[in-house]
Every structure is written in structure tokens, then in C-alpha cells.
Amino acid sequence: MTCRTTAIGLALAASLLAAPAFAGVIGTNVPAQPITAERIAQLPAAQQPAWKAYLERSIAQGKADRAALAAELKPGEVAPPPPPTGHGDGGMPLDKDAAWYGSPEARHVADVIVSFQTPAGGWSKNQDRTGAPRLPGQPWASDNNSKHLSEADFDAARDPKWGYVGTLDNNATITEMRFLAKVSRQTPGQDGDVYRQSFLKGVRYLLDAQFPNGGWPQVWPLQGGYHDAITYNDNAVSEAAYLLTEVSEAKPDFAFVPADVRAKAGAAARKGREVIVASQIRVNGKPTIWGQQADPFTLAPVAGRNFEPAALSTGESADLLFYLMQLPDPTPAEVAAVHAGVAWMKRAAIMGWEWTGKGDPDGRHLIEKPGAGPIWSRYYSVDGRPVFGERDKTLRDNANELSRERRDGYSWYGSQPSKIIRLYETGWAKRHPET
């Protein structure tokens, strides 16, 4: 695709680092477009059948999920309240000694995981899996509605009572699957069959949720808005591809997976790798890094929440570069993508400035500090200038002008690319020289 830069045509004034006196509002964030029949009808004819089938599958599965939940209750019976909201990967450690996964404690977590698996095969997010198993008629998802919604908010759910059912956001679904595989390996025979069957259902979920071009959305069945975009946030695409690669290779935790499923998993993982390379943003014909999420059809970067612009995103790009650098068999295109991405990161490094003030009365802010750095802005425009967003959708070129809530509530600067550059310079580049 050659049009990926057009979606980040942000008309920026001078950046903070270049000319603080001219800092201010530089634009307004625009929402990502969902996958619809109307958009599919505008695609080249050869691409339309696969996307039509995909959308139909999503719609049908969404209806099936809702019907299955309703069928669990008798007429007039009141549904139990949603499960309490937890955080991240609550209760599902993946770094314990192998024997622990055969313990009653681990088996309980696995039983809870199985109980919250949706009919589609995925899981929702932000739940503590050490709690009670799901009750009949109880929603699969917690209350995931934002507490900061404004009018026409990008994060507003189409159905407030039905959000993130299921999702790859916040490492959901992937973590549940990996935990189940570890428990099943320590639970041979019939006692472990329930965990193995749940894992296989999860694999089918990943295969069903994958776009025809190899990407994965944040939520499937589709939820609309930016959730329908190819999601690099929280490593959704790379973690799905990595897990499916391990499944295809029959790694010890996944040795029970049938050969035909392993073959499908391997093919899906390869498509995931291909879309990563294809969606690397090009500026003036030269590859740079990636957006936080990409339009499923054009592969152009698109906005996320109100304050997350369609821009080059260093955090997600660092994760993607790390994933590509771990591949044992990178293609020439993947090697070239890494070289280009690291080169861009080096050029974008900010020296002599520090993002500081956590817990201070005035909140976080950027200050000039000799010898500090390197740090990177979370987002950059196509011309390499930092860009920041507010909840009111305004885009700014000065993080210090953001509201206190947004300065303290988001990682506008970070040093994550430093690790990638070190890995690149201390070994990877030597093993994979530029051609």
C-alpha cells in the first residue's frame, strides 16, 4: 500500500523541542472507521469475497454469543452481576515452576478460565481469574466502559453492556491460552481434557478472528470503531502470531494439538508476519516505524482513543521490532523492516530532556536537563515531530500544555527503544547485515 502516510497528515506547528514559543493546538483527532459492508464494497473485486465472509462470520458469531448467554437463564430470571473488574493478567502467572501448574491452586484458576470462555472461543479482559467460576447467565465481561467518556467519544461502546467479548487487549485470550496449556501439560488423561479442549477452542478463535490480510482486531466478534483496526497495541498481532507459531512447531506445552490444527496455526502466523511488514509506514517512499493500529483495508495508521492520534508510535514499534528480531528465520523483507525501523528510532531520539514529576503537585512535565536521554515521544508526525492528544480530541505539540489528568495518566515519553537499539547493535545487525 502506498497511501499509508496520508492518514497522518497532521498540520503541525513547531514542536516543543524546536520552538516552545509556538506550541499549541495543531489539529483534531479523527475516529478510525469500522469494518462495514459499505467499505468492503469499495475494495477491489478480488478482495471482496474474503472480507464479506469475514464480516458475515463476525456478525453471526456475535449473535450466537448473545443467544447462548440468554439461553442460560430461565424466563424472568435475573442475570447475576458482571464479574468484578480486575487488572491485566490477574491470577494467571506464566513464570512458575512447571510442577506448580499441576497444583490445586493452578487447577482452580484454569477452571475459572474455562468457565469464562465465550462461545466464540475468546476471553474478555481485566478479570482476576483466582475468583469464583462464572455463574449461569453471568456476563463474560466486566464493566469495561471508560469513566471519562465525552460526547461522541471514540471509546464509547455500541452496547455498554456488551464490550470486549472477547479481546486480545491487555494480553487477554493469549494469557488464558498459555495458562491452560501449562496446566494441561501437568494434568494428563481425562482430567486435563477440559483444558486441552478449551485451548483448542481458543486456537479456533484466533483463526476465526484473523483478517484476510493477516492482521487481528482488538475485539472479535467485531465491536466497531478503532477496535476493528489491526491492533499492534498490547502486542495483539505479534503475540497472536508468536503463540500460533509455537503451536505449529508442537512446542512441549502444545504437543497435544492435532497436526491439521498445527498446520492452520502455522499458516496464520506467517500471514501475521506479512501484514506487519506491509503496514510499516513509508514517508517519501522510505520505511519508518508503525502506528498503534492500522486500518484493516488501507493499512494506514488510525486513531485509537480520543487522545491517541493516527501517528507513528514508538512503543508499539519497539515491540514489533523486538518480535521481528527474535524470529529464527526472518525473510529478507523482515530484515529490511528491522534495519529501517531501528534507523528511524536512532534519528528520533531526544537528548537533553527529561519527562519527570510523577507525584509532584504540578504533575508530570518535560524539562530541559543536560546529559539526559535518550527518550522518545510516544507519538510522532510523519515529519518526525512529537504529537500529543487530549480527551477533547485536540492534538498538541507540547506535552506540558496537556491537562494534568492526561499528563499524569498516559506514557507520553519513554525509553523503550533503547533496548531495541542495543539488541540491534550488539548482535542482530551483525547476524543480518544490510544488503
Side-chain angles (χ1 to χ4, degrees), residues 256-277:
F256 63 89
V257 177
D260 63 326
V261 178
R262 294 202 306 270
K264 292 177 181 178
R270 289 189 292 274
K271 288 180 65 178
R273 288 168 56 172
E274 290 171 359
V275 81
I276 290 173
V277 173

Side-chain angles (χ1 to χ4, degrees), residues 166-303:
T167 184
L168 299 182
D169 193 36
N170 288 9
N171 302 315
T173 296
I174 300 298
T175 304
E176 279 85 354
M177 291 176 66
R178 287 192 176 278
F179 192 92
L180 287 174
K182 289 180 177 294
V183 172
S184 74
R185 188 179 177 190
Q186 300 300 316
T187 315
Q190 291 184 344
D191 287 347
D193 284 347
V194 65
Y195 310 130
R196 286 182 278 276
Q197 290 305 312
S198 182
F199 178 87
L200 291 173
K201 188 175 180 181
V203 172
R204 291 192 291 273
Y205 174 85
L206 293 178
L207 297 178
D208 287 340
Q210 188 177 33
F211 292 148
N213 61 13
W216 274 275
Q218 185 190 61
V219 178
W220 197 84
L222 297 174
Q223 186 173 311
Y226 70 88
H227 310 288
D228 289 9
I230 298 172
T231 302
Y232 295 127
N233 183 252
D234 287 340
N235 304 326
V237 171
S238 57
E239 286 294 338
Y242 184 46
L243 174 59
L244 291 175
T245 296
E246 291 191 309
V247 168
S248 72
E249 295 172 347
K251 297 291 187 182
D253 283 349
F254 316 117
F256 63 89
V257 177
D260 63 326
V261 178
R262 294 202 306 270
K264 292 177 181 178
R270 289 189 292 274
K271 288 180 65 178
R273 288 168 56 172
E274 290 171 359
V275 81
I276 290 173
V277 173
S279 58
Q280 189 172 22
I281 299 166
R282 290 180 176 272
V283 178
N284 297 325
K286 296 181 179 180
T288 59
I289 56 172
W290 290 263
Q292 184 170 280
Q293 46 271 318
D295 184 272
F297 303 133
T298 68
L299 304 187
V302 294

